[in-house]
Amino acid sequence: MKHLRFTLIIAFFAIVGLNEASAQYSQITPAPYSIERKDTDDMATFDATQELKLYIDADSKTAERIRAAIATSGLKVKEVNKPAKKAFLNLVIDPAAVKEAEGYHIATTPEGINIKAHSGAGLFYAIQSIRQMMEGELKGRWLEGEIYDYPRFEYRGILIDISRHFRSVEFLKRQIDMMARLKMNRLHLHLTDAAGWRIEIESYPRLTEYAAWRKQATWKEWGYGERGHVEMGTEGAYGGYLTKEDAKELVRYAAERYITIIPEIEMPGHSEEVIAAYPELACTPRPERQEDLCIGKEATFEMMQAILDEIIEIFPSEYIHIGGDEATKRSWGECEDCQRRMKEEGLESVDELQSYMIHRIEKYLNARGRQIIGWDEILEGGLAPNATVMSWRGEEGGRAAAEAGHKVVMSPHAYCYIDAPQDAPPTQPEAIGGYLPLEKVYSYDPTPKDMPEEVSKYILGVQGNLWAEFIPTDEHYEMMLWPRAMAIAEIGWSQQQNREYSDFRRRAIEIVERMMEEGYHPFDLKNEIGERPESLQPIKHLALGKSVTYNLPSRYYAPQYGAAGDATLTDGLRGTWTYADGRWQGFLGRGGVDATIDMGEVMEISSISADFMQYCGPGVFMPCLVEIAVSEDGENYTKIADIEHEVMVEDVPSFKNFGWEGSVKARYIRYKAHRSKFSGFLFIDEIVVR
Ligand code: ACM
Ligand code: ZN
């Protein structure tokens, strides 16, 4: 088998669009490792729409999965029991020919299609590529040629949070279908969290009889409200859970599509619902409203181990995710049981106490043939010897773990947290905050060039995380997932040299169209607005580069949101959709914004304005009043504007201009923005003077 070099694929991309037949190959997402097509004058095309004689040389379980994949591929086939000579589709497992795990090779000749693969997964992925070629413009007629393909990373995953809002088996199957088409292979189910426990555990029935239900449907009412849980069957109770049979059905369905479901059982933090159902697992003396399990009490280990016994019986995944993130660690310091544990075990800090629990749970699972994976906080207090780390707070945790020889899945929030809005936030439904467009997700590289080989070899892959606090419906979940999860798929599968955003975006738009035809609800990528238009180009105006004095005696812009310091308000750079971009300047003090611009000389001025933003979640509000005054001498000011604004709490972010227009002569401009009754930040990007 020839191993084609990526130069071929680059040559291939260069001629995309020159003829339609080549476009057929360029529809494959994620972009394949290499494509070689017969580039002759006659450009023979193969007609894959004719009935093909299907021959599968694989074990019966694999053959069954491949037949099912072919049935949804658009190919018409008739199965035969030896390879045919004409109009054939031959599928063979041949690890000697295709060395890379999950890899495949497709060769199209005038007589038929030969597919070889390392394993059943490779055959399955070959069929997914062919499916995409069948769906394209030329409807199943493509040039003779070869595709050699295998993934860059072995772990290509998505997390779906079904704790904050429960989702049905049917919904999850639909996402599994889509993941499989994009050659993703891990579905991490966030099954447990404060808002609801979502998996039946026979030995602890109150987890689903009580901890799976709440009175309030929305996060604003529940998460920011009273919280708490209710008995199953209570009138209006909101929630749900997967029965063991449901979960096993999902595992089976995913496995048929070469996807492993990784269950996450959170410990010791994010466990408010467990404590609500079994208060005896909380630290004493105050069990009510705690989020962390007590690590001093043996009952905690008895329960977690019993739960894990049932979990490993349902989920064959090698990895069991044990959470480990964001424990408050508050109660452990004052709990007699935790203190006794620390003394007995010689633990010097609450970090070490958490680490004790993770070590113990790892040992328990290792003895049963499973491995633990946890969020990067499991590094604190010492990492368990065989643990794999999922790096979310950034990449540092992942790098540190890899340097210590641990396997790592990269999922840094700046690129992989697809719960942020993906387009202009004022146009999107309420979300957790931030702005994470497709292009930014796509730009992520889990093993950049500057990462030493001793580190990068431990990076298993990448995962996109869909946390669901603000995502109450199936349609909304799908909109947040797709197409950003396609970017995660391509990061995980395609060689970095073969990745190019504009080409990916073109393919993603086509897939989005197809998904809509099929009844999915992806974000309509072709109508994307993108980054805040004002921020795209520096602007020129009369105050550009002029000096600004802040009039408050103290506490003017907040140090972490100083942007370009005293130059910010006249540097010509307008802010993006997010306030932490180094362009927006943030003011936390009571006094708000009070800045004077010295224009250098008296001049004719016809407008003065500035934009503010509002993101209520993180406490960013509009001003309630803007005052503008001007002066020729810097001593005697004339007020020219008093702009009042009624500040209201709103679900969706907003941007608003506060300005004056008219005609005045001045050298000094004083722009004052007053904070409303809501305590929080004011953010302003530029005082524009014309
Ligand atoms: C996390 O986002 N707390 C893993
Ligand atoms: Zn305790």
Side-chain angles (χ1 to χ4, degrees):
M1 176 65 53
K2 262 186 306 183
H3 284 232
L4 308 172
R5 296 259 64 93
F6 55 76
T7 45
L8 277 175
I9 203 167
I10 288 169
F12 164 74
F13 279 133
I15 56 163
V16 160
L18 289 186
N19 65 71
E20 291 186 316
S22 68
Q24 197 86 4
Y25 281 123
S26 73
Q27 287 163 1
I28 301 171
T29 299
Y33 177 78
S34 73
I35 295 169
E36 184 185 41
R37 57 187 182 74
K38 280 231 174 67
D39 200 6
T40 54
D41 288 344
D42 54 338
M43 292 281 192
T45 56
F46 177 77
D47 178 7
T49 66
Q50 62 187 304
E51 186 178 87
L52 300 176
K53 296 189 187 68
L54 169 66
Y55 172 71
I56 307 177
D57 182 6
D59 62 89
S60 63
K61 194 170 92 182
T62 302
E64 211 170 292
R65 291 175 176 182
I66 299 307
R67 279 183 210 109
I70 290 173
T72 58
S73 69
L75 291 166
K76 286 196 293 281
V77 296
K78 183 165 175 245
E79 196 158 347
V80 294
N81 51 23
K82 61 179 198 302
K85 295 248 159 35
K86 284 247 173 262
F88 59 77
L89 174 62
N90 292 336
L91 292 106
V92 180
I93 291 187
D94 185 352
V98 179
K99 298 227 162 31
E100 297 82 4
E102 304 179 277
Y104 66 89
H105 177 255
I106 302 174
T108 306
T109 73
E111 285 75 41
I113 305 170
N114 276 310
I115 297 176
K116 291 177 181 173
H118 186 89
S119 63
L123 291 182
F124 183 83
Y125 294 143
I127 297 301
Q128 302 314 317
S129 292
I130 287 183
R131 174 181 183 157
Q132 291 176 334
M133 290 157 79
M134 296 298 290
E135 285 167 342
E137 218 179 315
L138 297 188
K139 302 271 181 281
R141 300 174 73 90
W142 65 81
L143 282 177
E144 292 163 32
E146 296 183 32
I147 299 170
Y148 194 88
D149 199 10
Y150 62 90
R152 180 179 179 204
F153 293 106
E154 68 179 76
Y155 188 115
R156 307 175 299 280
I158 310 183
L159 172 151
I160 298 184
D161 168 9
I162 62 169
S163 169
R164 272 57 175 263
H165 291 281
F166 181 60
R167 302 263 63 85
S168 68
V169 170
E170 283 320 302
F171 170 84
L172 292 169
K173 283 183 174 177
R174 278 165 61 76
Q175 312 321 311
I176 287 170
D177 286 343
M178 206 56 224
M179 289 171 68
R181 284 156 72 171
L182 295 158
K183 307 185 176 86
M184 303 188 96
N185 63 0
R186 299 292 198 293
L187 173 59
H188 171 171
L189 282 184
H190 188 68
L191 291 167
T192 76
D193 214 306
W197 181 279
R198 304 294 179 213
I199 179 80
E200 178 186 10
I201 300 294
E202 284 168 63
S203 54
Y204 288 87
R206 287 193 60 71
L207 291 171
T208 46
E209 289 167 1
Y210 183 70
W213 306 93
R214 62 191 201 227
K215 262 199 228 147
Q216 303 84 355
T218 69
W219 187 259
K220 278 222 290 259
E221 291 169 302
W222 187 84
Y224 297 157
E226 297 259 296
R227 300 173 80 109
H229 300 82
V230 295
E231 297 293 339
M232 178 164 66
T234 303
E235 203 186 321
Y238 178 86
Y241 62 89
L242 299 172
T243 65
K244 287 192 163 176
E245 286 317 304
D246 290 339
K248 285 179 181 170
E249 168 60 13
L250 267 180
V251 165
R252 181 199 65 75
Y253 190 86
E256 285 177 356
R257 289 153 183 82
Y258 295 92
I259 291 171
T260 302
I261 297 185
I262 299 179
E264 180 181 356
I265 303 297
E266 280 268 21
M267 63 189 83
H270 281 274
S271 295
E272 199 176 313
E273 86 290 21
V274 179
I275 292 169
Y278 295 94
E280 61 272 26
L281 297 187
C283 287
T284 34
R286 284 191 300 279
E288 67 283 354
R289 288 298 300 275
Q290 276 181 25
E291 296 169 31
D292 303 337
L293 301 172
C294 176
I295 300 180
K297 298 186 176 66
E298 270 309 290
T300 299
F301 290 90
E302 282 159 22
M303 177 168 181
M304 288 299 128
Q305 289 167 0
I307 289 170
L308 291 170
D309 284 344
E310 297 192 37
I311 288 292
I312 62 181
E313 197 263 323
I314 302 168
F315 297 96
S317 166
E318 178 194 6
Y319 282 119
I320 304 296
H321 202 298
I322 48 77
D325 59 316
E326 298 184 309
T328 69
K329 305 178 185 174
R330 277 197 291 265
S331 56
W332 301 339
E334 50 180 285
C335 166
E336 273 176 28
D337 296 309
C338 285
Q339 290 302 308
R340 180 169 19 80
R341 176 81 74 194
M342 287 176 69
K343 204 175 278 161
E344 280 170 11
E345 299 291 335
L347 308 172
E348 302 199 333
S349 65
V350 288
D351 286 348
E352 287 185 18
L353 183 63
Q354 159 150 328
S355 170
Y356 164 84
M357 177 169 197
I358 304 295
H359 273 73
R360 211 172 136 177
I361 294 294
E362 168 171 280
K363 220 163 154 185
Y364 188 81
L365 283 171
N366 285 174
R368 284 149 189 82
R370 305 305 178 94
Q371 297 296 325
I372 66 164
I373 184 167
W375 301 109
D376 53 48
E377 288 95 328
I378 66 171
L379 283 153
E380 291 162 7
L383 191 51
N386 304 315
T388 295
V389 168
M390 191 168 267
S391 192
W392 75 278
R393 290 179 295 181
E395 293 168 276
E396 301 71 32
R399 284 199 186 220
E403 278 162 12
H406 289 261
K407 292 181 190 160
V408 170
V409 174
M410 284 295 193
S411 192
H413 68 89
Y415 299 92
C416 297
Y417 270 44
I418 56 178
D419 52 345
Q422 64 200 307
D423 201 4
T427 68
Q428 298 296 295
E430 183 175 22
I432 196 108
Y435 168 56
L436 182 58
L438 183 66
E439 183 167 12
K440 172 104 190 260
V441 178
Y442 191 78
S443 72
Y444 182 57
D445 180 359
T447 56
K449 281 205 184 70
D450 69 352
M451 185 183 275
E453 154 72 18
E454 315 87 81
V455 175
S456 64
K457 71 180 184 200
Y458 290 107
I459 310 297
L460 296 180
V462 63
Q463 180 171 288
N465 295 339
L466 185 55
W467 303 104
E469 284 91 336
F470 294 95
I471 310 180
T473 67
D474 284 355
E475 290 76 9
H476 194 169
Y477 263 81
E478 285 186 355
M479 187 275 275
M480 299 299 273
L481 263 178
W482 311 108
R484 286 183 291 187
M486 291 176 204
I488 298 289
E490 186 146 312
I491 294 167
W493 183 278
S494 304
Q495 299 297 315
Q496 189 67 9
Q497 310 91 311
N498 293 341
R499 297 213 289 125
E500 198 276 306
Y501 181 66
S502 63
D503 179 67
F504 168 74
R505 187 171 194 278
R506 174 187 62 75
R507 287 178 279 120
I509 286 173
E510 286 175 18
I511 300 171
V512 162
E513 296 285 299
R514 211 165 296 134
M515 288 180 77
M516 287 173 168
E517 285 161 21
E518 293 172 17
Y520 281 93
H521 304 84
F523 170 69
D524 186 7
L525 181 60
K526 70 175 183 313
N527 291 320
E528 182 184 25
I529 296 165
E531 188 49 276
R532 185 169 179 246
E534 291 85 343
S535 70
L536 298 180
Q537 298 285 341
I539 56 161
K540 288 208 173 75
H541 60 98
L542 291 178
L544 187 65
K546 297 290 194 282
S547 86
V548 173
T549 309
Y550 294 86
N551 297 309
L552 296 176
S554 63
R555 302 216 314 148
Y556 52 96
Y557 54 81
Q560 71 273 40
Y561 297 116
D566 291 2
T568 303
L569 299 181
T570 52
D571 65 359
L573 298 177
R574 310 294 305 280
T576 63
W577 294 126
T578 52
Y579 48 78
D581 63 355
R583 293 173 168 215
W584 290 97
Q585 197 164 55
F587 293 77
L588 194 52
R590 280 236 136 265
V593 181
D594 186 354
T596 301
I597 305 174
D598 179 357
M599 303 296 287
E601 57 185 323
V602 175
M603 58 179 77
E604 289 279 352
I605 290 169
S606 63
S607 81
I608 300 165
S609 72
D611 283 1
F612 289 81
M613 61 160 69
Q614 177 161 300
Y615 279 81
C616 297
V620 177
F621 291 95
M622 292 289 175
C624 63
L625 171 68
V626 166
E627 295 173 272
I628 305 173
V630 293
S631 165
E632 294 198 9
D633 59 8
E635 309 241 319
N636 302 297
Y637 277 84
T638 311
K639 192 189 273 188
I640 56 172
D642 240 336
I643 307 152
E644 288 184 34
H645 175 64
E646 190 185 348
V647 182
M648 283 183 297
V649 174
E650 288 164 329
D651 295 347
V652 172
S654 57
F655 292 72
K656 184 173 163 55
N657 184 267
F658 292 78
W660 161 90
E661 282 183 10
S663 173
V664 76
K665 271 190 156 91
R667 171 171 171 179
Y668 299 93
I669 298 169
R670 186 165 183 183
Y671 191 101
K672 265 176 101 161
H674 297 261
R675 214 173 67 169
S676 69
K677 66 179 185 220
F678 299 106
S679 70
F681 281 97
L682 290 179
F683 272 95
I684 175 173
D685 60 344
E686 183 86 357
I687 300 175
V688 178
V689 180
R690 303 200 193 272

